[in-house]
């Protein structure tokens, strides 16, 4: 049964990543709009930057904030054996033999992307075009728990105006409906904060069912400049909650 659930989750993992990431557009902290859940790319970079951002965004935020956003450049993490490290996100995790870590090709497939390579420049182009990109995915063969990290570019204005807290608020409203379309019934969803890799971050805590099997998830938000990374830890065992999976990650010294 768990193998069947695992296969289903692999099919739904993109839906979940997009739900947590809010699709391609930055959520608006100032109104009731919810972000798009589409995984489609767009050639209109200006639209991506300005949609769902507060109307006064261009006149808000000081030059220091603007400069810091402009200076941030995305860099992919690396996998060395069973150890994942991201200098960009400031995190690392070493997994035991029960875990399978997705290859670059598999990460591209999870995101529905067709790319010749998955180097930094290719990923930066995908992000600037509005794609949500899988940075990391690992599946535990023993109990089918999983951890995945997706990254979305908010755009210059979104990078200034939208913080982790506002991002969580926007997705709190839209997530149940999106997951329902993918076969997950949400029974409990709340906004919270968690300690992740030595820092406090906004997060969403979720309980639900998939094919009548209990599902527990914690979705952690990590913002760096105009980029929002979403770390999703999922478990089927209440005795092994997502917080245990998140504890596998440590902050870089």
């Amino acid at each position: 049964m768990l193998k069947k659930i695992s296969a289903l989750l692999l099919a739904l993992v993109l839906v979940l990543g997009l739900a947590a990431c809010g699709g391609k557009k930055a959520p608006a902290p100032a109104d009731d709009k919810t972000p798009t859940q589409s995984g489609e790319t767009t050639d209109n970079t200006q639209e991506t930057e300005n949609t769902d951002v507060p109307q006064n965004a261009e006149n808000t935020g000081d030059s220091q904030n603007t400069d810091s956003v402009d200076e941030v450049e995305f860099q992919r993490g690396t996998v060395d054996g069973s150890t994942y490290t991201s200098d960009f996100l400031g995190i690392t995790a070493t997994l035991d033999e029960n875990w399978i870590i997705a290859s670059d090709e598999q990460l591209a497939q999870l995101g529905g992307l067709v790319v010749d390579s998955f180097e930094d420049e290719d990923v930066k182009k995908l992000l600037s075009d509005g794609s949500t990109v899988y940075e990391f995915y690992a599946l535990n063969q023993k109990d089918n728990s999983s951890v995945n990290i997706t990254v979305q570019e908010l755009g210059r204005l979104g990078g200034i105006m939208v913080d982790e807290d506002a991002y969580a608020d926007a997705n709190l409203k839209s997530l149940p409906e999106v997951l329902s379309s993918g076969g997950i019934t949400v029974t409990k969803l709340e906004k919270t904060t968690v300690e992740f890799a030595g820092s406090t971050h906004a997060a969403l805590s979720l309980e639900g069912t998939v094919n009548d099997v209990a599902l527990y998830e914690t979705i952690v938000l990590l913002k760096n400049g105009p980029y929002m990374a979403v770390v999703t830890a999922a478990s089927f065992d209440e005795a092994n909650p997502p917080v245990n999976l998140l504890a596998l990650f440590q902050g870089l010294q």
Side-chain angles (χ1 to χ4, degrees), residues 10 20 33 79 103 106 111 113 160 168 171 174 187 195 224 248:
L10 286 174
K33 293 180 181 179
V79 175
S103 65
Q106 290 168 331
L113 306 173
I160 297 170
N171 285 281
S174 58
T187 57
E195 290 294 321
N224 187 357
L248 296 169

Side-chain angles (χ1 to χ4, degrees), residues 39-182:
E40 298 176 357
T41 60
T42 176
D43 294 327
N44 191 336
T45 304
Q46 188 65 32
E47 179 183 352
T48 301
E49 292 182 351
N50 288 293
T51 305
D52 289 334
V53 175
Q55 293 297 318
N56 62 347
E58 295 187 24
N59 299 319
T60 309
D62 55 36
S63 59
Q64 183 177 359
N65 289 337
T66 303
D67 291 342
S68 64
V69 168
D70 290 341
E71 291 170 359
V72 175
E73 290 191 12
F74 176 75
Q75 291 182 324
R76 290 194 63 218
T78 60
V79 175
D80 183 6
S82 60
T83 298
Y84 164 77
T85 302
S86 171
D87 292 328
F88 181 77
L89 299 177
I91 59 176
T92 185
T94 298
L95 307 180
D96 64 30
E97 67 278 1
N98 292 316
W99 290 86
I100 300 174
I101 299 177
S103 65
D104 285 354
E105 181 180 3
Q106 290 168 331
L107 290 174
Q109 291 174 350
L110 282 173
L113 306 173
V114 179
V115 293
D116 294 330
S117 66
F118 217 48
E119 302 298 327
D120 274 2
E121 292 306 315
D122 299 298
V123 174
K124 288 176 185 177
K125 179 61 168 60
L126 290 167
L127 289 170
S128 67
D129 285 346
S131 295
T132 296
V133 174
Y134 273 84
E135 160 74 5
F136 176 79
Y137 181 83
L139 176 69
N140 191 313
Q141 302 175 86
K142 186 176 181 179
D143 61 7
N144 288 302
S145 58
S146 65
V147 179
N148 74 75
I149 303 175
T150 58
V151 180
Q152 175 197 20
E153 183 176 344
L154 302 177
R156 187 166 180 265
L157 296 180
I160 297 170
M161 297 299 301
V162 180
D163 60 13
E164 295 172 4
D165 193 62
Y167 203 86
D169 284 335
N171 285 281
L172 186 64
K173 300 177 181 179
S174 58
L175 193 57
E177 182 179 352
V178 173
L179 295 183
S180 177
S181 67

